[in-house]
Amino acid sequence: MAAAMALDHNDMNSNRSLRLQTLVRLRWLAVGGQSIAVVITALWLQFPLPLVPCSVLIASLALLNTFLTIRFPPTHRLTPPAAFALLGLDLAQLTALLFITGGLANPFAPLLCVPVIISSASQPKPHSIVLAGLAVIGVTALAFSPFPLPWYPGTVLLIPRVLTAGIWFAIVSMTAFAAFYTYRVSLEASELSEALTATELVLQREKHLSQLDGLAAAAAHELGTPLATISVVAKEMERELGDDPRFGEDVHLLRSQSERCRDILKRITTLSSESEEHMRLLPLSSLIEEVMAPHREFGIEIELKEKGDRASEPVGIRNAGILYGLGNLLENAVDYARKKVTVTAEHTAERVKVTIEDDGDGFSPDILMRIGEPYVTKRQKDDSAGGLGLGLFIAKTLLERSGARLRFENGSPGARVSVEWPRTLMDTKLAK
């Protein structure tokens, strides 16, 4: 499952899609803004403006938007090539409009970065890089525009070359920074969303497994009546045909097996009714032992240290999230340990703490700062074993949901993970 999640993470960018209606609404906003700017410049300020070419460019964008609205349903999602084509058209239209209205001297020139930002937030990285390159070409073309900036009649506004170069550099820098920032924020949000979804699936699976005992009891109850009927019929057949050399042996076998099934169902029902409360409540020592049991057969010594009297240890409700979270932390410790892993359980009147230590190489400094984020995959840079990825994020999330605080640090030697709860969250007596 972890490999599949990692594969999904690698392909995540290629699977992101942009909803057409979102792009259409942004375009109508652009059409409205461009129209208002042209009307104010030409009619209110009465600056000399190439009104017909500007109107044609704005109308072409509006017509294309109208066609897309009619042709496709609101829920239609664009493939990356289609989104790239539409954003490229937006970039070309805006570049042409700015080119005939003063180039980089136009105060709306920085708007060229908008299509690139939209692409960075929703499209695969290669498409966004190409679109950013086209935006740089467009900004460069604006720097050499022969059309003057619309200004007061009789006055020519000359922009020094040095200032033009500065504006060019500022727009290119802003486009690159905004696109990179948007890409990183969008990527981290997507990773977090997928990781939280995986967390919910894991927790649901753990809860499902814990409910199997109840399902078994229900099945035993439902099967009891038909099996009792079979047993009664088998007794009658044995009474009539027990001495028959042809069917006697088969009848004896039928009755004995029906009795065996009844015994099995009786044990299941008895086990469920007698041990349900016992299985629902779990002392701290039993919880730790249940976490440790699956990891004892891997050639690594696992030592348990208990600080505190078992007579006063907390007894809490079985929590699938805590069992999975501590199990994942212990599994990572076993994977990276050389010979030994130490689990320390301690409890006081105020808190409950579990510490897991191994004698491995510990966390590298860069990983230690980012630990617990989705898809942090290695402890050490030179380690090819993987681990500490989505599973650790899920474990950390589940434990924090139970009210725990986690601390990751390096010991001497190895790594140390401390998980601490307020005792009220781990003791049913105090919870009441």
Side-chain angles (χ1 to χ4, degrees):
M1 183 176 71
M5 290 177 179
L7 182 60
D8 291 341
H9 165 65
N10 294 332
D11 294 339
M12 180 170 53
N13 288 338
S14 61
N15 292 332
R16 291 189 294 175
S17 59
L18 181 66
R19 198 157 62 108
L20 177 61
Q21 189 176 32
T22 301
L23 197 56
V24 166
R25 288 175 177 174
L26 290 174
R27 280 180 157 198
W28 283 125
L29 184 62
V31 168
Q34 292 172 7
S35 301
I36 292 173
V38 168
V39 169
I40 291 177
T41 303
L43 302 181
W44 184 31
L45 299 177
Q46 297 185 349
F47 288 169
L49 187 73
L51 193 57
V52 174
C54 290
S55 300
V56 170
L57 287 172
I58 296 173
S60 64
L61 186 62
L63 288 174
L64 179 59
N65 231 23
T66 303
F67 169 77
L68 293 174
T69 303
I70 297 174
R71 175 65 178 79
F72 297 98
T75 56
H76 179 73
R77 290 193 174 272
L78 299 169
T79 62
F84 172 79
L86 291 178
L87 291 172
L89 288 175
D90 293 344
L91 182 63
Q93 186 265 354
L94 183 57
T95 302
L97 189 61
L98 292 170
F99 188 80
I100 63 177
T101 55
L104 289 185
N106 192 310
F108 294 103
L111 289 176
L112 278 178
C113 70
V114 172
V116 181
I117 294 175
I118 295 175
S119 178
S120 300
S122 61
Q123 299 305 302
K125 185 163 57 176
H127 293 73
S128 300
I129 292 175
V130 173
L131 194 65
L134 294 176
V136 172
I137 294 175
V139 174
T140 305
L142 294 182
F144 297 97
S145 172
F147 298 94
L149 178 71
W151 204 244
Y152 295 102
T155 304
V156 178
L157 184 62
L158 296 177
I159 306 297
R161 288 293 180 184
V162 175
L163 182 57
T164 300
I167 295 174
W168 178 91
F169 183 77
I171 294 177
V172 171
S173 301
M174 180 181 66
T175 301
F177 174 80
F180 177 76
Y181 178 81
T182 305
Y183 169 77
R184 288 302 307 172
V185 170
S186 175
L187 183 63
E188 290 177 3
S190 298
E191 289 178 348
L192 185 60
S193 176
E194 290 192 353
L196 289 175
T197 300
T199 302
E200 295 294 341
L201 291 175
V202 168
L203 185 57
Q204 183 179 3
R205 176 178 176 272
E206 294 295 322
K207 288 183 177 179
H208 176 71
L209 291 176
S210 66
Q211 293 170 351
L212 288 180
D213 178 64
L215 293 175
H221 177 74
E222 294 296 327
L223 290 173
T225 300
L227 191 59
T229 303
I230 294 174
S231 180
V232 170
V233 173
K235 288 181 180 179
E236 293 297 328
M237 293 178 63
E238 184 180 27
R239 184 179 299 110
E240 296 294 332
L241 303 174
D243 298 329
D244 192 313
R246 295 175 301 168
F247 306 110
E249 185 177 351
D250 293 336
V251 171
H252 287 302
L253 180 62
L254 177 62
R255 184 188 175 190
S256 64
Q257 292 302 310
S258 65
E259 293 293 337
R260 182 184 177 193
C261 289
R262 291 185 64 183
D263 291 340
I264 293 174
L265 293 181
K266 184 178 179 180
R267 285 201 302 269
I268 292 176
T269 306
T270 304
L271 177 63
S272 176
S273 61
E274 291 180 352
S275 64
E276 181 179 356
E277 185 67 18
H278 169 72
M279 295 297 291
R280 191 176 71 88
L281 298 178
L282 206 60
L284 179 63
S285 57
S286 299
L287 182 148
I288 300 300
E289 185 58 39
E290 186 169 335
V291 169
M292 294 169 53
H295 307 287
R296 293 188 181 277
E297 306 299 328
F298 296 96
I300 300 296
E301 179 187 356
I302 302 179
E303 179 186 3
L304 173 61
K305 293 182 178 179
E306 296 185 71
K307 296 183 178 180
D309 187 3
R310 284 198 176 187
S312 61
E313 68 177 338
V315 179
I317 297 176
R318 175 183 293 272
N319 187 313
I322 294 177
L323 291 170
Y324 179 89
L326 291 178
N328 186 273
L329 296 178
L330 183 59
E331 180 182 358
N332 282 320
V334 171
D335 287 342
Y336 287 95
R338 291 191 178 95
K339 296 181 179 179
K340 184 178 180 180
V341 172
T342 303
V343 180
T344 304
E346 54 183 303
H347 55 87
T348 64
E350 293 80 24
R351 63 188 180 91
V352 177
K353 184 176 181 181
V354 177
T355 305
I356 301 174
E357 301 173 272
D358 63 70
D359 59 354
D361 296 326
F363 303 109
S364 61
D366 56 330
I367 294 299
L368 196 57
M369 292 186 297
R370 298 174 50 234
I371 203 162
E373 294 181 9
Y375 308 107
V376 177
T377 57
K378 296 180 180 179
R379 274 196 185 182
Q380 301 287 347
K381 293 181 179 179
D382 58 348
D383 185 3
S384 59
L388 288 183
L390 186 58
L392 182 57
F393 172 82
I394 293 174
K396 183 173 181 290
T397 302
L398 292 176
L399 289 171
E400 288 177 343
R401 284 185 177 184
S402 71
R405 291 188 301 171
L406 281 75
R407 182 177 180 181
F408 300 87
E409 57 189 347
N410 285 324
S412 54
R416 180 188 300 119
V417 182
S418 301
V419 187
E420 184 175 332
W421 296 266
R423 178 153 182 156
T424 54
L425 298 179
M426 297 290 286
D427 197 330
T428 54
K429 295 180 181 178
L430 296 180
K432 294 178 182 178

